[in-house]
């Protein structure tokens, strides 16, 4: 599916979702089909979210590009992801931060976390990504502070633990708003110990972020 991947990445670049060579290179390198259930792999390079089971989805490629561009990643960064899914987003981020960086990703559903570990191992990212089963709204304080934190699900408001686990000068990118409808993608810059700058990046639609500082389970 290499040619389909190249065609999609070129379209995302031409439409302005991909803006930098590092993000373009990462999305060309990571095989999205390897992070999907067998039944949806034929649609891996359609630009839309697709189900991965347990009520969860793999994000549309253009949304992955938007978030990764907004994170402004560089090699060697310490990253926290909330919502592993099958591991695709984490692999793209790991491709950019390189072997000197690391991605810690928290997934609340054990079966998805286990599949993500297998996918990351099979694609060569296992040593760069650590998958943790737990409540992502609490973050992962063991490896804090983080240069960047991002969420792949929407919270009712920005979880305070995630803000506190950012480095000074670090960025948090997360959807927030309604549980069932459209939300806003926001960026949070930690200016000092107690000061943050929040910016609205536009409307999005994500599955809910379940947890103590997120939405309750149904």
């Amino acid at each position: 599916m290499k040619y389909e991947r190249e065609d999609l990445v070129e379209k995302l670049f031409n439409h302005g979702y991909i803006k930098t060579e590092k993000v373009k290179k990462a999305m060309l390198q990571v095989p999205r089909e390897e992070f999907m259930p067998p039944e949806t792999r034929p649609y891996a390079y359609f630009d839309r979210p697709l189900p991965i089971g347990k009520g969860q989805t793999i994000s549309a490629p253009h949304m992955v590009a938007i978030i990764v561009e907004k994170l402004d990643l560089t090699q060697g960064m310490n990253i926290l992801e909330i919502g592993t899914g099958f591991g695709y987003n984490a692999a793209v981020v790991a491709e950019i931060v390189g072997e000197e960086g690391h991605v810690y990703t928290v997934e609340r559903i054990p079966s998805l976390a286990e599949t993500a570990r297998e996918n990351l191992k099979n694609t060569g990212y296992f040593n760069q990504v650590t998958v943790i089963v737990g409540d992502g709204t609490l973050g992962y304080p063991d490896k804090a502070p983080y240069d960047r934190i991002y969420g792949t699900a929407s919270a009712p408001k920005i979880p305070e633990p995630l803000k506190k686990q950012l480095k000074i000068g670090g960025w948090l990118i997360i959807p927030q708003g309604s549980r069932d409808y459209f939300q806003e993608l926001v960026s949070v810059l930690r200016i000092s110990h107690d000061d943050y700058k929040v910016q609205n990046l536009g409307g999005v639609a994500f599955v809910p972020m379940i947890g103590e500082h997120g939405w309750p389970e149904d």
Side-chain angles (χ1 to χ4, degrees), residues 90-142:
V92 173
V93 171
E95 183 68 32
I96 298 174
V97 301
E99 294 182 0
E100 294 180 359
H102 202 86
V103 181
Y104 296 91
T105 177
V106 185
E107 173 56 56
R108 70 182 181 88
I109 302 173
S111 61
L112 295 188
E114 186 56 37
T115 300
R117 290 189 187 105
E118 287 299 315
N119 293 340
L120 291 160
K121 182 178 180 180
N122 292 339
T123 51
Y125 296 99
F126 192 72
N127 292 331
Q128 294 171 257
V129 182
T130 300
V131 181
I132 302 105
V133 176
D135 180 352
T137 69
L138 301 176
Y140 187 56
D142 289 10

Side-chain angles (χ1 to χ4, degrees), residues 138-168:
L138 301 176
Y140 187 56
D142 289 10
K143 298 297 180 178
Y146 298 97
D147 297 290
R148 302 287 188 271
I149 300 175
Y150 67 99
T152 65
S154 176
K157 61 181 181 178
I158 302 165
E160 285 296 319
L162 302 187
K163 293 167 64 177
K164 297 300 183 185
Q165 290 172 36
L166 273 177
K167 285 183 179 178
I168 305 297

Side-chain angles (χ1 to χ4, degrees), residues 59 63-64 66-68 70-73 78-85 87-95 97 102-106 129 136 139 146-154 159 162 166 171-175 185-188 206 209:
S59 296
M63 185 53 60
V64 175
I66 288 170
I67 289 177
V68 175
K70 293 294 184 183
L71 288 170
D72 190 23
L73 302 167
N78 186 38
I79 308 296
L80 177 63
E81 175 189 69
I82 310 304
T84 314
Y88 175 68
N89 287 60
V92 173
V93 171
E95 183 68 32
V97 301
H102 202 86
V103 181
Y104 296 91
T105 177
V106 185
V129 182
Y146 298 97
D147 297 290
R148 302 287 188 271
I149 300 175
Y150 67 99
T152 65
S154 176
L162 302 187
L166 273 177
W171 289 93
L172 164 65
I173 308 287
I174 191 169
L185 188 67
V186 297
S187 69
V188 181
F206 279 82
M209 183 179 289

